[in-house]
Amino acid sequence: MSAVRDIGGRDGQPSLARSLVAEALGTAFLLIAIVGSGILGERLAAGNAALALLANALATGAALYALIVWLAPLSGAHFNPLVTLVLALRGDIAPRAAGFYVPTQLAGAIAGVVIADAMFDMPLYTLSSHSRSGPSQWLSEFLVTFGLIGMVWTCSRLRPTALAGVVAAYIGGGFWFTATDFANPAVALARALTDTFSGIRPVDVPGFLAAEMLGALTAVLLFRWLVPDTR
Amino acid sequence: MSAVRDIGGRDGQPSLARSLVAEALGTAFLLIAIVGSGILGERLAAGNAALALLANALATGAALYALIVWLAPLSGAHFNPLVTLVLALRGDIAPRAAGFYVPTQLAGAIAGVVIADAMFDMPLYTLSSHSRSGPSQWLSEFLVTFGLIGMVWTCSRLRPTALAGVVAAYIGGGFWFTATDFANPAVALARALTDTFSGIRPVDVPGFLAAEMLGALTAVLLFRWLVPDTR
Amino acid sequence: MSAVRDIGGRDGQPSLARSLVAEALGTAFLLIAIVGSGILGERLAAGNAALALLANALATGAALYALIVWLAPLSGAHFNPLVTLVLALRGDIAPRAAGFYVPTQLAGAIAGVVIADAMFDMPLYTLSSHSRSGPSQWLSEFLVTFGLIGMVWTCSRLRPTALAGVVAAYIGGGFWFTATDFANPAVALARALTDTFSGIRPVDVPGFLAAEMLGALTAVLLFRWLVPDTR
Amino acid sequence: MSAVRDIGGRDGQPSLARSLVAEALGTAFLLIAIVGSGILGERLAAGNAALALLANALATGAALYALIVWLAPLSGAHFNPLVTLVLALRGDIAPRAAGFYVPTQLAGAIAGVVIADAMFDMPLYTLSSHSRSGPSQWLSEFLVTFGLIGMVWTCSRLRPTALAGVVAAYIGGGFWFTATDFANPAVALARALTDTFSGIRPVDVPGFLAAEMLGALTAVLLFRWLVPDTR
């Protein structure tokens, strides 16, 4: 989040460009991890869904940890429009930069899905037929996003160096303890474009986005009181 | 544990309220992790109990790590009445606060079970029919609680920043190396309310509570001598 | 390793007694983790040796991490006669203390095996019938001990706070990349007393002990040159 | 990378010799981890490729973490000719030292394969018959090497103490989210010498080397701009 101060401007390049490249890279790699390990997990597990999900969860958690530690000094490593919006709300990122972050994350996410499909010889993009809908899934998606935003809000102030491990453990574990574990609009939109293990039907995306936004909003309202901004 | 000094009172709100909300949140998420991953593990593993327990252990360990790092600055992240009582005994938390913590943890744990059941379309609460009893199980529960309280007593003084990782590794690993791995009266009571993978018959709860209390007491007696209080 | 300076003597108790209790506790818990997760893994995996070993490796690695971080401030967390001897050779622990450490570790290891067997309703002690012998196993045991002692020698000087994670990752991973992964005479002797997944026939123990001692000796000779003692 | 300053010359020994021994040791252990866990995974999983790869990925990730933390103070823990070349390009290692590092890594890697085969009673070396070729695999190998070099370039400057965890999580996870996950010419060459789970046909090695070199080159070009060298 302090990319501008740490890196920018030293050689006259606008630092926002650097942050955007890092943000696109990280979000692309995140989708490569989710979609790629989903494809290989399902392929090797030969019908054993528990094994496939175990591989999917471990690979995604490990990738998230590596990507956040790697790219946080360059862009803050949001990889998630809701994280960007929430941090913009608190003044941690300028509104103009946030306005560039969100489409960059979306583009990176879509690129990641295409690359993962290419690596595993799947069609580069197809609409998913994986149904994910209904009140229990929306509750799950509300809850997991609430937790993620609560963690980002709290740890980015009080435990910044631990944030990568916290997010990786929470999202990696969440593959098992929530029923959905997206918690990220860019991820939800991009996963509509792959008809593999980790896909989601386009028609189910709006419900997920609504649940995610509600979860993030609830987290902000609660954590503004729990963790007063005293920077 | 230093929530009062770090956070409290800045805006005139009583800091205990903040700690209690954090404690309820964390205990609820802990039960969501245990019960939710138990349900999904059992469902996907299709009869393979080793795979189900592997998912259960990894998800719970990962969640514990994230929850403790996240909420420790707000409430100390006890999530466990025995931890609260032991720290109250040593003077790390005021008796009045401890008196509020314990029912808050219990309420959070029950809420977590209900939410996990809802996320996975199970009945919101039912009495468990999962039998967990007998001397070998009580020995296991005594031992795992003894270890947990010994770790909390030692690390909260000598290695506070490592406590989250230590507890997560110990409890996550303990799914496999103990026969029980509850080590927490709030967890034991709440798990009586779900008839899923991680449930426990209500009639078996008192035996677990007794073993846990004896384990905690033994740990306090030994570690008062091993780690003299020299703060 | 600095137990004497950190803890000892504050209340007139001999600090060596504290170190010995911590060392016995840790070695007992280590064997509980190895043997207990071996029993439960084998029982739940129902013939799938890969799943049983996965549970065994993850539980042992996690336990090692927790035990070392927890008990290192009290005893140095050796849990291994060869570690104690090597550190005595370098002057990190007094010869008299080392002389007490070794039998304490052995007693703790045997107690751990008995407790693990009891937790899982197995005979408290029986001689193992698990054959582990032959040149390839001795090579493996030589190598894994060489690596462990090399890590302890190096990290205890140059990266002391990272030692717990290094040892846990190396031993946990070593369940898969070596054919044996004992690397500890107390563990080898105690594991002869349980006829379960992690046992070793008594007649095969001397070969393992010899390979371990040779591995430790080789490591000391090499690492005395690689990491000169410049404390 | 600061081996020369930290260790060298204190007793008149040339410090480069120490670095080379550490580099050979680490690369040998890395190949032992990859090849050994591949053999044992395949053997125990009895045809379940997902379980075998899970063991392979976890063991390799854990070993990488331990090896990098352990040996980084002695040699920088490159274990990879492309890492050495990239760091030489930036001036972090002298060209002469780099010229010795690369053949040392190759020799260590081959020794590791032979040792792993010996530990598991396989032929000490045989040419692999495991086909790994085609555009999607080259894309994967390009991408995984690009990411690895980008991480090393960034973290070795901005987050040096986190580099071991980042690389271990990325490579361990990459077993699942890339289709290849070599990212290392010494590893690719050595793995041609074992006809086991992790082998690669000699005829397929040049394609992997080309993809790796292109990935590393692309990473250097991009990250020279993203992370200006301001040491």
Side-chain angles (χ1 to χ4, degrees):
Chain A
M1 281 157 273
S2 50
V4 176
R5 285 181 299 277
D6 288 343
I7 306 285
R10 277 169 186 160
D11 58 358
Q13 289 281 351
S15 66
L16 180 57
R18 284 200 182 93
S19 296
L20 293 177
V21 169
E23 198 68 12
L25 262 182
T27 317
F29 264 108
L30 174 58
L31 269 290
I32 289 170
I34 297 170
V35 175
S37 66
I39 294 173
L40 188 56
E42 192 173 38
R43 195 177 286 175
L44 295 186
N48 187 329
L51 262 180
L53 192 64
L54 205 54
N56 203 196
L58 288 167
T60 302
L64 254 179
Y65 176 76
L67 295 173
I68 295 176
V69 176
W70 174 27
L71 297 170
L74 305 182
S75 76
H78 302 179
F79 313 154
N80 185 334
L82 286 173
V83 169
T84 298
L85 290 176
V86 163
L87 294 178
L89 188 73
R90 200 168 61 179
D92 290 2
I93 180 172
R96 180 173 164 274
F100 282 101
Y101 264 49
V102 172
T104 301
Q105 291 158 349
L106 192 59
I110 292 171
V113 169
V114 171
I115 292 170
D117 284 337
M119 280 200 302
F120 290 99
D121 282 319
M122 306 293 288
L124 296 189
Y125 49 91
T126 42
L127 297 184
S128 171
S129 61
H130 191 147
S131 170
R132 298 180 190 265
S133 190
S136 60
Q137 300 241 338
W138 298 329
L139 167 65
S140 169
E141 194 60 13
F142 167 86
L143 190 90
V144 70
T145 312
F146 167 82
L148 177 67
I149 298 299
M151 283 172 191
V152 170
W153 185 277
T154 307
C155 296
S156 61
R157 274 291 186 278
L158 302 178
R159 305 214 156 171
T161 60
L163 185 55
V166 165
V167 168
Y170 175 72
I171 295 293
F175 274 69
W176 285 99
F177 65 76
T178 79
T180 57
D181 204 36
F182 284 54
N184 184 333
V187 167
L189 284 160
R191 283 167 69 166
L193 297 176
T194 181
D195 196 15
T196 60
F197 188 71
S198 47
I200 175 173
R201 282 191 316 184
V203 69
D204 295 338
V205 169
F208 269 54
L209 297 187
E212 288 166 4
M213 285 187 264
L214 209 59
L217 184 65
T218 308
V220 169
L221 292 176
L222 180 60
F223 281 87
R224 283 178 79 155
W225 171 73
L226 271 177
V227 185
D229 193 354
T230 56
R231 187 161 62 167
Chain B
M1 283 157 272
S2 49
V4 176
R5 284 181 298 278
D6 288 343
I7 305 285
R10 278 172 187 157
D11 58 0
Q13 288 280 350
S15 66
L16 179 58
R18 284 202 182 92
S19 296
L20 293 177
V21 169
E23 199 68 13
L25 262 182
T27 317
F29 264 107
L30 174 58
L31 269 290
I32 289 170
I34 297 170
V35 174
S37 65
I39 294 173
L40 189 57
E42 193 174 37
R43 195 177 285 176
L44 295 186
N48 187 328
L51 263 180
L53 191 64
L54 205 55
N56 203 194
L58 289 169
T60 301
L64 254 179
Y65 175 78
L67 295 173
I68 295 175
V69 176
W70 174 27
L71 296 171
L74 305 182
S75 75
H78 303 176
F79 313 154
N80 186 333
L82 286 173
V83 169
T84 298
L85 290 176
V86 162
L87 293 178
L89 188 73
R90 200 170 61 180
D92 291 3
I93 180 172
R96 181 173 164 273
F100 282 101
Y101 265 48
V102 172
T104 300
Q105 291 158 348
L106 192 59
I110 292 172
V113 169
V114 171
I115 292 171
D117 284 337
M119 280 201 302
F120 290 99
D121 283 320
M122 306 293 287
L124 296 190
Y125 49 93
T126 41
L127 297 184
S128 171
S129 60
H130 192 147
S131 169
R132 297 180 190 265
S133 190
S136 60
Q137 299 242 339
W138 299 328
L139 167 65
S140 169
E141 195 59 15
F142 167 85
L143 190 90
V144 70
T145 312
F146 167 82
L148 177 67
I149 297 300
M151 283 172 191
V152 169
W153 185 278
T154 308
C155 295
S156 61
R157 273 291 185 278
L158 302 178
R159 305 213 156 172
T161 60
L163 185 55
V166 165
V167 168
Y170 175 72
I171 295 292
F175 273 69
W176 284 99
F177 65 75
T178 79
T180 57
D181 204 34
F182 284 54
N184 184 334
V187 167
L189 283 160
R191 285 168 68 167
L193 297 176
T194 182
D195 195 16
T196 61
F197 188 72
S198 47
I200 174 172
R201 282 191 314 183
V203 68
D204 296 338
V205 170
F208 270 54
L209 297 188
E212 289 166 4
M213 285 188 265
L214 208 57
L217 183 65
T218 309
V220 168
L221 293 176
L222 179 60
F223 280 87
R224 285 178 79 156
W225 171 72
L226 270 177
V227 185
D229 194 352
T230 56
R231 187 160 64 166
Chain C
M1 281 155 273
S2 49
V4 176
R5 283 181 299 278
D6 288 343
I7 305 286
R10 279 172 185 158
D11 57 0
Q13 289 280 350
S15 65
L16 180 57
R18 285 202 181 93
S19 296
L20 293 178
V21 169
E23 199 68 12
L25 261 183
T27 316
F29 264 107
L30 174 59
L31 269 290
I32 288 170
I34 297 170
V35 174
S37 65
I39 294 173
L40 187 57
E42 193 173 39
R43 196 177 286 177
L44 295 186
N48 187 329
L51 263 180
L53 191 64
L54 205 55
N56 203 194
L58 288 168
T60 302
L64 254 179
Y65 176 77
L67 295 173
I68 296 175
V69 176
W70 173 29
L71 296 171
L74 305 182
S75 76
H78 302 178
F79 313 154
N80 186 334
L82 286 173
V83 169
T84 298
L85 290 176
V86 163
L87 294 177
L89 188 73
R90 200 169 61 181
D92 291 2
I93 180 173
R96 180 174 164 274
F100 282 101
Y101 265 48
V102 172
T104 301
Q105 291 158 348
L106 193 59
I110 292 170
V113 169
V114 171
I115 292 170
D117 284 338
M119 280 201 302
F120 290 98
D121 283 319
M122 306 292 289
L124 296 190
Y125 49 93
T126 41
L127 296 184
S128 171
S129 60
H130 191 146
S131 169
R132 299 180 189 265
S133 190
S136 60
Q137 300 242 339
W138 299 328
L139 166 65
S140 169
E141 195 59 13
F142 167 86
L143 190 90
V144 70
T145 311
F146 167 82
L148 177 67
I149 298 299
M151 284 172 191
V152 170
W153 185 277
T154 307
C155 295
S156 61
R157 274 289 186 279
L158 302 178
R159 305 213 155 173
T161 60
L163 186 54
V166 165
V167 168
Y170 175 72
I171 295 293
F175 274 70
W176 284 99
F177 65 76
T178 79
T180 55
D181 203 36
F182 284 55
N184 184 333
V187 167
L189 283 160
R191 284 168 67 167
L193 297 177
T194 181
D195 196 15
T196 61
F197 188 72
S198 46
I200 175 173
R201 283 191 313 185
V203 70
D204 296 337
V205 169
F208 269 54
L209 297 187
E212 289 166 5
M213 284 187 265
L214 208 58
L217 183 65
T218 309
V220 168
L221 293 176
L222 179 60
F223 281 87
R224 284 178 78 155
W225 171 72
L226 271 177
V227 185
D229 194 354
T230 57
R231 187 160 64 163
Chain D
M1 282 155 271
S2 49
V4 176
R5 284 181 299 276
D6 288 342
I7 305 286
R10 279 172 185 156
D11 57 358
Q13 289 281 350
S15 66
L16 180 58
R18 286 201 180 94
S19 297
L20 293 178
V21 170
E23 198 68 11
L25 261 183
T27 316
F29 264 108
L30 174 59
L31 270 290
I32 289 170
I34 297 171
V35 174
S37 65
I39 294 172
L40 188 57
E42 193 173 38
R43 195 177 286 175
L44 294 186
N48 187 329
L51 262 181
L53 191 64
L54 205 55
N56 203 195
L58 288 168
T60 302
L64 254 179
Y65 176 77
L67 295 173
I68 295 176
V69 176
W70 174 27
L71 297 170
L74 305 181
S75 76
H78 303 177
F79 312 153
N80 186 335
L82 286 174
V83 168
T84 299
L85 290 176
V86 162
L87 294 178
L89 189 74
R90 199 168 63 179
D92 290 3
I93 180 172
R96 180 172 165 276
F100 282 101
Y101 264 49
V102 172
T104 301
Q105 291 158 349
L106 193 59
I110 292 171
V113 170
V114 171
I115 292 170
D117 284 338
M119 279 200 303
F120 290 99
D121 283 319
M122 306 292 289
L124 296 190
Y125 50 92
T126 42
L127 296 184
S128 172
S129 60
H130 192 147
S131 169
R132 298 179 191 264
S133 190
S136 60
Q137 300 241 339
W138 299 328
L139 167 65
S140 169
E141 194 59 13
F142 167 85
L143 191 90
V144 70
T145 313
F146 167 82
L148 177 67
I149 298 299
M151 284 171 190
V152 169
W153 186 277
T154 307
C155 296
S156 62
R157 275 291 185 278
L158 302 179
R159 305 214 154 170
T161 59
L163 186 54
V166 165
V167 168
Y170 176 72
I171 294 293
F175 274 69
W176 285 99
F177 66 75
T178 80
T180 55
D181 204 35
F182 284 55
N184 185 332
V187 167
L189 283 160
R191 284 168 68 166
L193 297 176
T194 181
D195 196 15
T196 61
F197 188 71
S198 47
I200 175 173
R201 283 191 314 185
V203 70
D204 296 336
V205 169
F208 268 54
L209 297 187
E212 288 166 4
M213 284 187 265
L214 209 58
L217 184 65
T218 309
V220 168
L221 293 176
L222 179 60
F223 280 87
R224 283 178 77 155
W225 171 72
L226 271 177
V227 186
D229 194 354
T230 56
R231 188 160 63 166

